């Protein structure tokens, strides 16, 4: 990374000195991702000068990795002829991703310069629901008829494979374009030229596909489960219409993880990155749950207020409240985090509810016992000799840990049952519930054994 920064500095120097020929030669030796990163580091109009130096293929590949705002600036600065060349060189899924992020006037201009076939394909992709398999797929896959021979398949790959996103997995189709199997490039290399694809293809792989309207999360789950580099997409009749490639699958996983993290913090997920999200948008995404948690914390205050006289009567009772609430909240968060992640990865299902609860019950008994014993010794070391009070605090801690872990493991699964996002049942929500119950347990034990 440090070497790349040095290289970018050298390229910036070439731009500033107007040495465009040596600059172009160095850009041609770079990866398209590094070219895109360099373009993001320089300002307009230098960015346009550098972009125009790039050959068609490199320009299209680098453009796909640029930030949507920079993409919009470039499109507005180049001519229609340059825009046609750019769109013609991009993969359809990258073009669709770009068009989904830019204003309507930019979309109209791009569609106006695109050739009729590309325009029709883009329109079809844009009609699929947002975050569906159809909206993120590409139609530029390597498809072969199952009646082809290996020699015919290799010839077809050599002829048209350069324009396909991937050729490592080829998709075998029937006369009606139904997906009937897959064949890997290495299988074609090692089989005899006159063998038919239908005899060497993996027909079972035809069953591993998604529908155009399936959620993108299902695409990622299938790719992860079957270790796929691409996932075929079919329509309602089982006809092959596209594939979702590994680069988009990685983006899906990253987006889903980000969304889960935001929901676990009880925030409405944002479509943009942190720095690109406006202050008002962040306010709207956060304020609702903050208000709900604040109001729900009123119950905790009412519980403490109801026991004010008891707290004043015995020294040390009040001091133990923060420790008990923190321990309970942390215990619940540990359980909920693991269960939410397990649900997201498919490791835990609704039918596993009682197994999860039974496991967390045993864990909570061990954790509660260990923490209660440790707290007993801690309070003795600190000079507290009121044994009944110490036992009440330790007993409340033991019960709070058990309750917190059971709640933390149960709520995400129960949320799944009622078709809510399990991530909503995370830290803040668990903590609010556990705090109130922990105090009720604590004051009940105090009233029973200290004031009974």
């Amino acid at each position: 990374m440090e070497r790349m920064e040095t290289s970018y500095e050298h390229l910036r120097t070439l731009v500033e000195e107007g040495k465009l020929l040596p600059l172009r030669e160095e850009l041609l030796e770079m990866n398209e991702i590094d070219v895109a990163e360099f373009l993001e580091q320089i300002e307009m109009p230098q960015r346009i000068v550098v972009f125009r130096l790039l050959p068609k293929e490199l320009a299209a590949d680098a453009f796909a990795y640029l930030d949507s705002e920079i993409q919009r600036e470039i499109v507005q600065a180049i001519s229609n002829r340059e825009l046609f060349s750019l769109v013609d060189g991009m993969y359809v899924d990258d073009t669709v991703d770009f068009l989904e992020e830019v204003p309507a006037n930019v979309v109209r201009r791009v569609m106006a310069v695109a050739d009729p076939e590309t325009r029709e394909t883009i329109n079809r992709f844009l009609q699929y629901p947002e975050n569906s398999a159809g909206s993120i797929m590409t139609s530029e896959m390597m498809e072969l008829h199952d009646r082809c021979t290996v020699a015919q398949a290799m010839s077809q790959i050599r002829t048209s494979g350069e324009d396909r996103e991937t050729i490592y997995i080829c998709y075998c189709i029937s006369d009606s374009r139904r997906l009937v199997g897959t064949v890997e490039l290495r299988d074609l290399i090692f089989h005899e030229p006159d063998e038919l694809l239908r005899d060497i293809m993996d027909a079972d792989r035809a069953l591993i596909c998604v529908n155009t309207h399936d959620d993108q999360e299902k695409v990622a789950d299938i790719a992860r489960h079957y270790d796929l580099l691409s996932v075929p997409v079919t329509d309602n009749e089982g006809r092959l219409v596209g594939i979702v490639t590994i680069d988009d699958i990685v983006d899906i996983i990253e987006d889903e993880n980000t969304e889960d993290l935001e929901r676990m913090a009880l925030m409405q997920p944002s479509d943009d990155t942190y720095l690109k999200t406006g202050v008002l948008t962040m306010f709207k995404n956060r304020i609702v749950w903050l208000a709900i948690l604040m109001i729900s914390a009123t119950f905790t205050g009412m519980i403490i207020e109801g026991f004010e006289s008891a707290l004043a009567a015995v020294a040390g009772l009040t001091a133990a409240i923060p420790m008990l609430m923190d321990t309970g909240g942390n215990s619940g968060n540990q359980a909920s985090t693991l269960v939410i992640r397990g649900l997201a990865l498919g490791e835990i299902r609704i039918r596993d509810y009682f197994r999860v609860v039974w496991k967390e019950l045993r864990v909570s008994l061990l954790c509660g016992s260990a923490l209660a014993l440790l707290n007993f010794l801690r309070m003795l070391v600190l000079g507290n000799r009121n044994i009944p009070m110490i036992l009440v605090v330790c007993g409340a801690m033991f019960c709070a840990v058990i309750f917190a872990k059971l709640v933390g493991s149960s709520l995400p699964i129960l949320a799944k049952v009622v078709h809510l996002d399990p991530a909503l049942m995370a830290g803040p929500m668990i903590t609010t519930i556990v705090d109130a119950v922990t105090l009720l347990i604590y004051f009940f034990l105090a009233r029973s054994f200290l004031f009974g």
Side-chain angles (χ1 to χ4, degrees):
M1 185 61 70
E2 188 173 323
R3 186 173 63 182
M4 285 307 304
E5 287 299 328
T6 304
S7 176
Y8 293 154
E9 189 63 39
H10 171 63
L11 293 175
R12 278 193 290 268
T13 301
L14 292 178
V15 173
E16 292 168 0
E17 294 177 355
K19 298 179 178 179
L20 301 185
L21 185 58
L23 173 64
R24 187 177 191 275
E25 292 176 353
E26 296 207 26
L27 290 172
L28 290 175
E29 298 297 321
M30 293 172 60
N31 181 279
E32 61 267 20
I33 297 176
D34 295 328
V35 173
E37 190 170 325
F38 172 64
L39 286 170
E40 290 182 345
Q41 291 189 9
I42 57 180
E43 301 295 330
M44 298 286 281
Q46 290 179 330
R47 184 180 292 135
I48 297 300
V49 173
V50 174
F51 187 78
R52 282 175 166 152
L53 290 176
L54 303 176
K56 174 182 174 180
E57 290 185 4
L58 181 56
D61 291 340
F63 184 84
Y65 290 100
L66 291 172
D67 179 84
S68 59
E69 184 64 26
I70 295 177
Q71 288 179 330
R72 182 184 62 79
E73 290 178 352
I74 290 176
V75 168
Q76 290 178 334
I78 61 179
S79 66
N80 284 347
R81 182 179 178 182
E82 291 171 314
L83 182 56
F84 172 81
S85 176
L86 176 63
V87 174
D88 186 56
M90 292 176 66
Y91 291 114
V92 174
D93 60 330
D94 291 330
T95 306
V96 172
D97 289 342
F98 156 61
L99 294 178
E100 288 178 336
E101 298 291 333
V102 296
N105 63 315
V106 177
V107 175
R108 285 193 295 270
R109 184 163 175 240
V110 171
M111 297 296 279
V113 301
D115 61 69
E117 184 180 350
T118 302
R119 190 183 308 124
E120 181 184 352
T121 303
I122 291 173
N123 277 325
R124 187 173 72 252
F125 278 45
L126 291 174
Q127 288 173 1
Y128 289 116
E130 187 178 1
N131 297 328
S132 67
S135 69
I136 59 173
M137 70 180 182
T138 177
S139 58
E140 293 157 320
M141 64 279 183
M142 196 69 241
E143 53 185 10
L144 303 168
H145 200 286
D146 66 333
R147 287 191 282 104
C148 285
T149 63
V150 169
Q152 290 171 329
M154 292 298 291
S155 175
Q156 191 172 334
I157 291 172
R158 281 191 289 269
T159 303
S160 58
E162 190 175 357
D163 296 327
R164 302 295 183 256
E165 281 222 14
T166 178
I167 60 171
Y168 303 115
I169 302 291
C170 303
Y171 297 91
C172 302
I173 57 174
S174 65
D175 291 332
S176 59
R177 291 192 51 80
R178 290 179 64 87
L179 178 64
V180 293
T182 64
V183 60
E184 296 185 19
L185 180 60
R186 65 180 180 181
D187 292 331
L188 297 176
I189 294 173
F190 291 115
H191 279 83
E192 295 299 322
D194 58 348
E195 288 189 75
L196 294 176
L197 294 190
R198 63 175 53 177
D199 296 329
I200 67 172
M201 70 183 185
D202 185 349
D204 292 337
R205 287 277 178 168
L207 302 175
I208 306 172
C209 60
V210 295
N211 184 272
T212 52
H213 287 77
D214 284 338
D215 189 86
Q216 64 177 14
E217 194 169 355
K218 182 178 180 180
V219 179
D221 288 341
I222 287 179
R224 181 167 48 211
H225 184 74
Y226 292 102
D227 293 328
L228 301 178
L229 292 177
S230 58
V231 178
V233 183
T234 59
D235 60 16
N236 293 332
E237 283 73 43
R239 294 173 299 197
L240 180 68
V241 292
I243 61 172
V244 181
T245 51
I246 187 62
D247 56 328
D248 292 314
I249 292 169
V250 171
D251 290 340
I252 293 168
I253 294 173
E254 183 177 314
D255 290 343
E256 294 295 336
N257 288 342
T258 300
E259 182 177 312
D260 284 345
L261 287 172
E262 290 176 333
R263 290 192 184 279
M264 288 175 70
L266 292 184
M267 293 187 294
Q268 186 69 20
S270 174
D271 293 330
D272 285 324
T273 60
Y274 177 83
L275 293 178
K276 291 178 65 178
T277 304
V279 173
L280 285 178
T281 301
M282 283 189 170
F283 165 75
K284 293 175 184 176
N285 290 347
R286 300 181 186 186
I287 190 61
V288 174
W289 276 108
L290 285 175
I292 292 173
L293 293 175
M294 181 196 71
I295 294 171
S296 62
T298 305
F299 297 107
T300 304
M302 292 170 61
I303 294 170
I304 295 176
E305 186 178 357
F307 286 87
E308 277 184 334
S309 57
L311 292 172
V314 179
L317 278 180
T318 304
I321 290 177
M323 176 190 62
L324 289 172
M325 293 172 67
D326 287 345
T327 302
N330 292 336
S331 299
N333 290 340
Q334 287 179 337
S336 66
T337 299
L338 292 177
V339 172
I340 290 169
R341 191 59 182 158
L343 288 168
L345 295 176
E347 298 170 353
I348 298 175
R349 303 184 185 279
I350 294 174
R351 64 172 180 264
D352 298 320
Y353 173 75
F354 291 105
R355 290 179 60 193
V356 171
V357 169
W358 172 233
K359 175 168 284 189
E360 287 298 329
L361 176 61
R362 288 176 289 168
V363 172
S364 66
L365 288 171
L366 292 173
C367 289
S369 300
L371 290 172
L373 177 61
L374 183 62
N375 183 62
F376 183 87
L377 297 175
R378 181 190 69 87
M379 295 184 76
L380 287 179
V381 169
L382 292 177
N384 194 322
R385 293 294 182 266
N386 188 341
I387 300 302
M389 194 272 288
I390 295 177
L391 291 175
V392 165
V393 174
C394 294
M397 178 174 291
F398 176 77
C399 295
V401 170
I402 294 175
F403 175 80
K405 288 196 176 295
L406 293 180
V407 169
S409 60
S410 296
L411 285 184
I413 300 178
L414 296 177
K416 189 87 171 178
V417 171
V418 296
H419 306 293
L420 291 177
D421 191 334
L424 289 173
M425 303 301 167
M429 179 66 73
I430 299 293
T431 300
T432 302
I433 296 172
V434 170
D435 283 352
V437 176
T438 296
L439 287 177
L440 286 174
I441 294 171
Y442 183 39
F443 292 139
F444 172 78
L445 293 176
R447 174 178 287 174
S448 300
F449 296 101
L450 298 181
F451 307 104

